[in-house]
Amino acid sequence: HEAYWGEAPTYSEIHWIAEADPSARVDALLRGEAHLAADIGVEGWRRISSEGSAAAHQWETGLAIIFMINAMEGPGQDRRVRQALNYALDVDEIIAEIKDGAAEPLNGYLTPHHFGYDPETPPYPYDPEKARALLAEAGYPDGLDLVFDLPTEMPDEAPALARLMAEQYARVGIRLELVEHQDRAAYSEMVREKRIQDAACFDSSPRSTYRVLREKLHSGLKGPWWEGYHNERVNALIQEAEATIPDPERQAIYREIYSLVTEDAPWIFLYRPLRYYGASPRLQHWEPRADGLLIFN
């Protein structure tokens, strides 16, 4: 409006067009019918990059694709089993096959966008011999049978992901039964109510490290997404961090927690997806945001 105190934008209207097909979104951008194409996938990103008339953007998300392990009952109570479930997976192969390379491996429960993430914490390497040894040490020399829950959407690739995981687990003697859940809202409630079987696929999208620690990892609080993990040292450090105001000191505590939790392996740490956008030359200064929101100024 004319009385607005700030500088006027270079446009008077924004039109949002719903187009379900990512390829069609790319086509609209390349034909000049759209100035921004969101969530175009890695193939769309490659098309725009090779065509050259628009800018191709890659967004490193703050989303973590993981399996929460049931540590309340069953084999997942044993840290050695949880570690074996991580060592037995070739995450690079999973990313190549399931995401066409459009993801980055996780080294714990956070992504680099999050306060307290520790880049020095090594991810679990693919080590099937280590996995077999840990299973034998835990009392499963002949492998074991597990049941994993998974949704059919959010993440949408969960069924294909779980099937490939089952193939990899079979190499170390882990026999996996997969139970798919069609109702995503009901699935979330099942996880929240701690009614998962041996593990459950989830897309962890934490808005803050504070919430991850309180809602998913602190065994004294037993938050909505806590599935039985217990470490008294972690609990004490979480409470210490909550009472620590200066960022550098709290960061150091968070990173100690990060290392401890990664070693304890309450989750199967997989990957964070990459998302892709295309932008016309008119939006030459536009960049994707870490939170995925589309903001124009």
Side-chain angles (χ1 to χ4, degrees), residues 263-286:
E263 185 175 2
D264 282 343
W267 300 353
I268 300 168
F269 307 114
L270 295 172
Y271 54 82
R272 65 164 174 161
L274 304 176
R275 292 172 65 182
Y276 300 92
Y277 299 87
S280 77
R282 184 176 177 186
L283 298 180
Q284 58 180 317
H285 299 301
W286 180 85

Side-chain angles (χ1 to χ4, degrees), residues 36-208:
L36 181 75
D39 285 337
I40 57 176
V42 66
E43 281 301 320
W45 178 77
R46 289 170 182 153
R47 276 183 61 196
I48 293 171
S49 298
S50 62
E51 204 276 348
S53 62
H57 294 277
Q58 175 178 286
W59 171 44
E60 298 172 342
T61 72
L63 187 68
I65 304 300
I66 51 93
F67 276 74
M68 296 176 172
I69 300 172
N70 183 350
M72 291 179 286
E73 58 185 7
Q77 295 175 94
D78 193 315
R79 184 175 80 155
R80 294 166 296 188
V81 172
R82 301 196 302 265
Q83 290 174 334
L85 289 171
N86 280 279
Y87 280 118
L89 291 180
D90 185 343
V91 176
D92 288 338
E93 180 186 43
I94 289 172
I95 290 173
E97 292 293 324
I98 301 301
K99 299 297 292 180
D100 194 16
E104 294 179 344
L106 293 171
N107 70 341
Y109 56 88
L110 298 173
T111 76
H113 289 305
H114 293 94
F115 187 72
Y117 167 82
D118 187 358
E120 302 301 318
T121 298
Y124 277 89
Y126 177 49
D127 191 339
E129 292 303 318
K130 178 74 170 178
R132 291 189 193 95
L134 285 166
L135 291 174
E137 186 181 323
Y140 303 99
D142 300 319
L144 75 164
D145 299 289
L146 297 174
V147 181
F148 280 14
D149 293 302
L150 59 138
T152 54
E153 59 182 342
M154 292 177 65
D156 296 351
E157 71 267 22
L161 166 63
R163 286 191 292 270
L164 180 53
M165 289 170 62
E167 293 177 15
Q168 294 187 356
Y169 279 143
R171 302 170 193 168
V172 299
I174 298 173
R175 297 167 292 276
L176 212 59
E177 177 186 343
L178 304 175
V179 179
E180 294 187 8
H181 299 263
Q182 303 290 331
D183 187 331
R184 186 58 172 80
Y187 179 80
S188 294
E189 286 305 307
M190 180 190 75
V191 176
R192 183 191 294 270
E193 294 170 3
K194 312 185 195 320
R195 294 186 287 109
I196 68 173
Q197 300 188 73
D198 293 303
C201 181
F202 223 73
D203 52 348
S204 177
S205 53
R207 287 296 183 184
S208 73

